[in-house]
Amino acid sequence: MKYALVTGGSRGIGRAVCVKLASQGYHVLINYVSNQAKAEETLALTKEAGTEGEIIKFDVANLEETTAAIEKWQADNKDAYIDVLVNNAGVTSDSLLALMEPESWHKVLTTSLDGFFNVTRTVIKKMVRKKHGRIINMASVSGLIGLPGQCNYSAAKGAIISATKALSKEVGIKNITVNAIAPGFIKTDMTSSLDEEELKKGISLGRFGEAEEVAALVAFLASDDAAYITGETIAITGGLRG
């Protein structure tokens, strides 16, 4: 049995990733922090896709809580290890920098960037011992080109992209690949308040992307077919003109 952990897996892109990996035969650990009902819905969908999964609650921004939850799972499943890690958890709190409250800055940074550190630090240890693993970090086009009103989000995702490059050089010798995905405008709860009709004018394909399209890229990077791809950031934007 192959195991995959998807942080922020209860909805949006995370949910689509969970379902896609389940369809590829992974036993998916669906991480959530507060909305158990949504996590249960995702779990039901993964079972429909063909593979049993489970939900695992912890706040990625909290090192002690994250470490305890993952180590407990590992202790309860001694013969297993998480072969695929998808660092997907993230939040937005948009504002012009001059008007941004410190809480908005720190919340976005701690969820995305500290979350990456807290989860990966714990999971990667057994990947190193097993000499195999796939780490896929959900970045954003905001981290590539910067978007107004998102200095916090751009900073967090830009840092994820840089950390992806650095970590790939640390663990490549252990047959662990580390890549990032930078989605553009994808139809999720996070983009539901945006003016889609206006924004899609700046997208070559003339539409927002679907979460399932991002999930398909995750599944590819997790597969053996992507074994020689590491340290890369792949944009999936529909040809966003920025």
Side-chain angles (χ1 to χ4, degrees):
M1 177 66 70
K2 300 178 294 182
Y3 293 85
L5 168 60
V6 181
T7 67
S10 63
R11 54 187 176 180
I13 290 174
R15 171 177 286 184
V17 169
C18 289
V19 173
K20 183 66 175 180
L21 291 178
S23 76
Q24 302 299 302
Y26 286 92
H27 177 107
V28 183
L29 282 67
I30 304 160
N31 162 254
Y32 76 103
V33 65
S34 60
N35 196 330
Q36 183 171 341
K38 288 291 185 182
E40 295 283 2
E41 288 176 10
T42 302
L43 179 60
L45 291 170
T46 62
K47 291 180 178 179
E48 289 177 12
T51 308
E52 290 288 328
E54 59 190 290
I55 59 176
I56 179 169
K57 180 180 180 181
F58 59 86
D59 180 359
V60 299
N62 185 309
L63 176 60
E64 291 75 19
E65 186 178 319
T66 297
T67 303
I70 295 172
E71 289 184 346
K72 181 181 185 304
W73 180 87
Q74 193 63 73
D76 293 340
N77 299 270
K78 294 185 184 300
D79 296 329
Y81 85 103
I82 296 166
D83 183 61
V84 174
L85 168 61
V86 183
N87 284 306
N88 170 74
V91 296
T92 56
S93 185
D94 295 354
S95 172
L96 297 176
L97 182 65
L99 304 175
M100 186 177 291
E101 296 295 332
E103 293 79 9
S104 293
W105 174 266
H106 291 295
K107 181 179 181 181
V108 171
L109 266 291
T110 55
T111 302
S112 288
L113 194 52
D114 289 2
F116 158 79
F117 172 79
N118 295 341
V119 179
T120 306
R121 176 178 176 270
T122 306
V123 170
I124 203 169
K125 294 173 183 177
K126 198 155 189 180
M127 285 184 179
V128 168
R129 290 199 295 272
K130 294 289 186 177
K131 296 184 178 180
H132 190 273
R134 298 283 187 267
I135 298 172
I136 302 159
N137 301 317
M138 203 60 65
S140 169
V141 67
S142 185
L144 288 172
I145 64 173
L147 293 176
Q150 288 197 327
C151 280
N152 50 2
Y153 196 65
S154 294
K157 295 305 186 180
I160 289 293
I161 290 168
S162 295
T164 295
K165 295 175 183 179
L167 182 58
S168 71
K169 292 176 172 63
E170 294 180 2
V171 297
I173 195 66
K174 297 296 185 180
N175 197 31
I176 300 169
T177 65
V178 188
N179 292 289
I181 294 174
F185 294 111
I186 308 297
K187 289 184 179 179
T188 65
D189 292 347
M190 192 175 286
T191 60
S192 60
S193 63
L194 300 179
D195 186 346
E196 182 175 349
E197 289 303 311
E198 183 62 29
L199 288 170
K200 72 182 185 182
K201 295 176 183 177
I203 300 172
S204 297
L205 294 182
R207 65 175 178 87
F208 276 19
E210 301 290 341
E212 290 75 16
E213 293 173 308
V214 181
L217 179 53
V218 172
F220 170 68
L221 290 174
S223 73
D224 291 340
D225 290 335
Y228 201 57
I229 301 173
T230 194
E232 299 297 331
T233 299
I234 303 175
I236 179 165
T237 69
L240 181 67
R241 299 187 289 272

